[in-house]
Amino acid sequence: MQCDKLKKQVSLAALDYVPNNSMIGFGSGSTILYFIKALYKTKKKIFGAVSSSYYTTLMLHKYGIQVFELSTVSHPIIYVDSADEINDNLEMIKGGGGALTNEKIIAATSEKFICIIHESKLVKQLGRFPLPIEIIPMAYTYVLKKIIQLGGKPKYREGYVTDHGNIIIDVYDLNLGNPSEIENLINSIPGVVTVGLFSINTPDIVLIGTKSGIKILK
Ligand code: 5RP
């Protein structure tokens, strides 16, 4: 089965976790776009949305869902997002789409974090996908030096500016054997806004679209 079919399948499965009339947090990326479309087609009505990116906001508006500022609502009941890689401990790499900072904030403030992926995102060890890091532009060379000292090979994400006006580097070949240690280390470098490692705050439920149906990890 193709990736797109699996993304569609897992988006439909996520609808079961959406309480009626609730505030829902939305991640970013192609899987979430399928989820927004699935929600639009179902009879289920949500109260409103908190969005993790400008693009997701555009899509939510297109499908008639009202978007609220996170700081003006109590907190989302669930946050639905996807990932670039996830391991057996539910630790993830995210940020392929560049929305990692808002994604981490909304994930942290939501009651329940539901991650929806297709099976090729499951890995034994994190790190095949380059690790995105959002950086304040003036700290670029300093952060680069620190990442190289940690053993990573950083690459500037050409032509990309985050919703916060910052830049992103994608880091190759970093040893992510101890994800939470690396997450804390990178977070402590001055100039780093967010590292796309989600190992301290992991999802509560992971729904996986596979050729043989939906699998659930908790
Ligand atoms: C965006 C993300 C996305 O969740 C991740 O890139 C997966 O995207 P897709 O659903 O398109 O495979 O972290 O910042």
Side-chain angles (χ1 to χ4, degrees):
M1 218 190 286
Q2 290 162 346
C3 277
D4 280 346
K5 280 195 181 151
L6 297 178
K7 287 180 184 179
K8 221 181 259 187
Q9 176 202 48
V10 78
S11 304
L12 284 171
L15 291 177
D16 290 346
Y17 294 82
V18 177
N20 268 318
N21 294 316
S22 52
M23 183 65 74
I24 308 295
F26 290 81
S28 297
S30 55
T31 315
I32 293 309
L33 183 51
Y34 279 117
F35 175 63
I36 294 171
K37 287 178 184 166
L39 199 55
Y40 174 74
K41 284 187 190 147
T42 159
K43 290 203 172 67
K44 208 160 232 177
K45 286 278 162 282
I46 64 167
F47 179 77
V50 168
S51 168
S52 62
S53 64
Y54 178 66
Y55 182 71
T56 294
T57 301
L58 282 181
M59 292 302 114
L60 289 165
H61 284 156
K62 178 174 171 190
Y63 289 98
I65 298 171
Q66 196 179 353
V67 178
F68 293 84
E69 275 293 321
L70 179 63
S71 52
T72 66
V73 298
S74 58
H75 59 262
I77 301 299
I78 62 163
Y79 175 57
V80 183
D81 198 357
S82 188
D84 296 302
E85 271 186 2
I86 186 160
N87 67 15
D88 292 342
N89 298 326
L90 312 192
E91 295 161 322
M92 306 181 290
I93 289 183
K94 289 185 48 53
L100 58 164
T101 297
N102 291 354
E103 291 174 345
K104 217 175 232 194
I105 295 169
I106 305 176
T109 55
S110 300
E111 246 170 67
K112 201 172 262 180
F113 179 1
I114 296 170
C115 183
I116 55 175
I117 55 163
H118 61 85
E119 56 192 342
S120 73
K121 305 275 182 95
L122 271 178
V123 294
K124 280 276 158 255
Q125 155 110 36
L126 296 175
R128 195 182 47 200
F129 193 91
L131 179 65
I133 307 177
E134 179 168 353
I135 295 170
I136 301 218
M138 72 176 283
Y140 176 62
T141 47
Y142 176 71
V143 175
L144 227 60
K145 207 167 14 168
K146 290 288 174 191
I147 294 299
I148 292 167
Q149 279 170 7
L150 288 175
K153 293 195 182 80
K155 187 165 185 277
Y156 177 74
R157 197 179 286 186
E158 289 290 342
Y160 188 82
V161 178
T162 70
D163 285 359
H164 301 288
N166 295 316
I167 56 177
I168 288 193
I169 57 168
D170 294 298
V171 182
Y172 294 78
D173 297 343
L174 197 56
N175 182 351
L176 301 180
N178 187 341
S180 54
E181 189 185 53
I182 291 285
E183 183 173 351
N184 280 326
L185 258 175
I186 296 179
N187 273 337
S188 70
I189 302 172
V192 167
V193 178
T194 307
V195 55
L197 258 179
F198 286 55
S199 63
I200 295 162
N201 188 16
T202 54
D204 299 287
I205 301 170
V206 180
L207 304 178
I208 309 162
T210 78
K211 289 176 204 82
S212 46
I214 298 292
K215 287 194 180 139
I216 302 176
L217 295 179
K218 287 185 186 179

